Amino acid sequence: MSQNKLTPLNILRREKQILRSECAEGEARLGEHWSYVTDNFTSLLFTGALNGVRRKLGFGGSPKREDKENENSSNHGSNGLIQGVLAGLLAVSPLLWEMAQPMIMGFAMKKVKSIFTRKKKKKKRRDDDDD
């Protein structure tokens, strides 16, 4: 039984190729999300703020939501504008997290790597007695 067994080097090359393709797909997806956020971020925030103000004034939302909001507003005294902005941020937070996660991981990896590969500085000896 002669099967095509891959050598360890070929296995590593194949894994490298797979990782590069996954990385390219991730970059493309991240680019799409970035373009969506840049195109729609202000409109999402504005819409969220406007909906928050409308709900605070009593012009929007379902009866169940209004009851919950009345309870929350009486307990916390929150502002409709702040709620709207937070709602807009919550709408785009998954996209922002997906964009921030690779940056955070890269930063953390650099810090961990620097801990283990820290270069020691050579100290110059001074002869204070000779001067």
Side-chain angles (χ1 to χ4, degrees):
M1 291 184 149
S2 174
Q3 292 182 354
N4 291 339
K5 291 187 177 181
L6 296 175
T7 64
L9 182 60
N10 288 339
I11 293 171
L12 288 174
R13 286 179 181 161
R14 187 173 60 173
E15 287 178 1
K16 183 178 178 181
Q17 183 182 14
I18 291 169
L19 288 174
R20 282 191 178 173
S21 66
E22 288 177 356
C23 185
E25 290 173 9
E27 287 176 356
R29 186 177 30 157
L30 190 61
E32 291 171 6
H33 289 311
W34 179 255
S35 64
Y36 174 78
V37 168
T38 56
D39 292 342
N40 299 316
F41 187 70
T42 55
S43 64
L44 287 171
L45 282 177
F46 181 72
T47 303
L50 186 61
N51 287 339
V53 170
R54 282 186 14 204
R55 276 188 252 124
K56 186 71 173 179
L57 296 175
F59 293 116
S62 65
K64 292 179 183 177
R65 278 183 123 180
E66 289 175 3
D67 291 338
K68 283 184 179 179
E69 287 181 12
N70 288 337
E71 291 174 9
N72 289 338
S73 64
S74 64
N75 292 338
H76 302 293
S78 57
N79 189 355
L81 182 63
I82 294 172
Q83 285 180 344
V85 171
L86 289 176
L89 286 174
L90 287 175
V92 295
S93 64
L95 298 175
L96 293 174
W97 174 247
E98 191 168 334
M99 287 187 292
Q101 202 171 12
M103 291 184 268
I104 293 169
M105 290 300 292
F107 177 75
M109 294 302 276
K110 285 180 185 176
K111 287 295 183 184
V112 169
K113 186 178 177 183
S114 70
I115 290 171
F116 294 111
T117 61
R118 195 172 277 171
K119 293 181 181 177
K120 294 184 179 179
K121 296 180 181 178
K122 293 182 180 179
K123 293 183 180 179
K124 293 182 181 179
R125 288 189 171 196
R126 286 186 164 174
D127 292 344
D128 293 329
D129 297 336
D130 292 339
D131 289 302

